[in-house]
């Protein structure tokens, strides 16, 4: 599954070039054009990173940070079109996590984005105690899962797979991404281990229930919805 980059920048050549680069780097880019549009996108789905490129002197970043709160569950990066140390300090104090100059090389730009996403995921995992989706509850510390209050006995790998899917509920998870995140990089792309474990989970999570949570997206992977 691709990491989502929410890019707030006016529709110009620079923004188009930045979007193309990010997409070629493997990100899914969602474009928005202003405070209200960005706030609406954030209400619908949490991005891997929020990338802002305001006009010099614009207050939109500060207004947006007021909306998302002091500690949003995603990193915020600002691209300054005109470098100003005082502005950089002010943005960091307002809650922005990273500030870069518009002339930052693409290889560094990508590395900084990926570093922010990794850092926030580790931070979030350390503070979460449970995941919920409808009547499915996962206790992260105790590594237990419940459906409608009933304990579901899972093997360690089944638990890891279910946790991965629920953390990305309503997002399609590609088989290759599941293999990399849940099993590591040691499996060849021809293995059917994901399909086998999905069948195990379906028997334990969905069998005998009118509401099925685990769905197949033909030719792509699986989704909790």
């Amino acid at each position: 599954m691709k990491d989502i980059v929410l890019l707030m920048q006016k529709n110009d050549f620079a923004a188009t070039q930045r979007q193309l680069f990010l997409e070629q780097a493997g990100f899914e880019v969602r474009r928005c054009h202003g405070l209200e549009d960005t706030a609406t996108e954030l209400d619908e789905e949490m991005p891997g990173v929020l990338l802002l490129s305001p006009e010099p002197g614009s207050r939109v970043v500060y207004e947006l940070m007021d909306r998302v709160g002091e500690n949003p569950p995603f990193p915020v990066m600002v691209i300054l079109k005109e470098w100003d140390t005082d502005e950089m300090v002010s943005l960091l104090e307002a809650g922005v996590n990273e500030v870069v100059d518009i002339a930052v090389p693409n290889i560094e730009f990508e590395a900084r984005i990926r570093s922010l996403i990794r850092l926030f995921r580790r931070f979030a995992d350390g503070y979460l105690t449970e995941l919920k989706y409808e009547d499915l509850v996962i206790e992260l510390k105790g590594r237990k899962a419940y459906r409608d209050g009933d304990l579901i006995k899972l093997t360690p790998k089944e638990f890891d797979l279910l946790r991965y899917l629920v953390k990305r509920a309503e997002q399609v998870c590609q088989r290759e991404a599941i293999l990399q995140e849940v099993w590591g990089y040691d499996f060849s792309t021809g293995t059917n281990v994901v399909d086998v474990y999905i069948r195990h989970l379906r028997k334990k999570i969905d069998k005998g229930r009118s509401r099925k949570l685990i769905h197949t997206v033909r030719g792509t992977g699986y989704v909790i919805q």
Side-chain angles (χ1 to χ4, degrees):
M1 185 186 69
K2 296 181 179 180
D3 288 310
I4 296 173
V5 174
L6 187 58
L7 171 62
M8 189 185 79
Q9 186 173 357
K10 72 176 185 178
N11 192 14
D12 58 14
F13 179 76
T16 300
Q17 292 298 105
R18 182 163 290 117
Q19 179 175 352
L20 288 173
F21 167 74
L22 291 169
E23 289 174 342
Q24 290 170 356
F27 297 101
E28 178 181 340
V29 181
R30 309 273 180 87
R31 287 280 296 280
C32 46
H33 308 283
L35 181 62
E36 296 302 327
D37 190 21
T38 306
T40 298
E41 287 283 351
L42 291 173
D43 286 339
E44 294 178 354
E45 187 169 17
M46 186 177 70
V49 62
L50 173 59
L51 185 60
L52 308 173
S53 184
E55 293 299 315
S58 171
R59 297 292 304 172
V60 68
V61 175
Y62 301 96
E63 294 173 10
L64 187 59
M65 294 307 296
D66 284 341
R67 288 205 181 192
V68 301
E70 185 176 351
N71 296 301
F74 50 83
V76 180
M77 176 188 285
V78 172
I79 305 170
L80 286 183
K81 294 183 179 180
E82 295 179 7
W83 187 259
D84 184 309
T85 299
D86 291 337
E87 179 72 359
M88 181 267 292
V89 171
S90 180
L91 287 166
L92 293 175
E93 290 177 345
V96 170
N97 305 103
E98 179 74 281
V99 182
V100 297
D101 186 86
I102 194 170
V104 63
N106 282 341
I107 188 171
E108 178 183 340
F109 182 54
E110 179 186 351
R112 288 181 179 274
I113 290 176
R114 294 194 185 281
S115 177
L116 280 174
I117 292 174
R118 287 195 304 269
L119 179 63
F120 264 68
R121 283 184 178 162
R122 287 197 296 266
F123 179 82
D125 287 346
Y127 280 83
L128 283 176
T129 58
E130 66 178 24
L131 298 172
K132 292 183 179 179
Y133 186 79
E134 296 189 2
D135 61 350
L136 178 62
V137 178
I138 299 177
E139 292 182 356
L140 297 175
K141 301 298 183 182
R143 293 182 63 86
K144 295 179 181 178
Y146 300 85
R147 180 96 195 257
D148 196 24
D150 298 328
L151 177 65
I152 302 167
K153 293 184 178 181
L154 300 173
T155 67
K157 195 58 68 177
E158 288 170 352
F159 179 88
D160 291 341
L161 175 57
L162 182 62
R163 176 180 58 188
Y164 180 88
L165 294 173
V166 174
K167 285 180 70 174
R168 296 156 181 81
E170 301 187 0
Q171 299 178 34
V172 178
C173 299
Q174 299 178 351
R175 287 181 177 84
E176 293 79 6
I178 295 173
L179 275 172
Q180 291 173 1
E181 294 296 328
V182 179
W183 277 271
Y185 294 88
D186 296 330
F187 286 86
S188 68
T189 55
T191 182
N192 69 340
V193 66
V194 174
D195 308 280
V196 171
Y197 272 78
I198 287 290
R199 287 199 295 270
H200 293 169
L201 278 183
R202 278 191 168 129
K203 290 179 181 178
K204 297 182 177 183
I205 302 296
D206 287 339
K207 188 175 181 180
R209 300 180 186 271
S210 58
R211 176 77 170 95
K212 311 299 183 184
L213 297 181
I214 303 174
H215 302 271
T216 300
V217 181
R218 190 174 298 276
T220 302
Y222 300 95
V223 61
I224 293 276
Q225 66 179 18

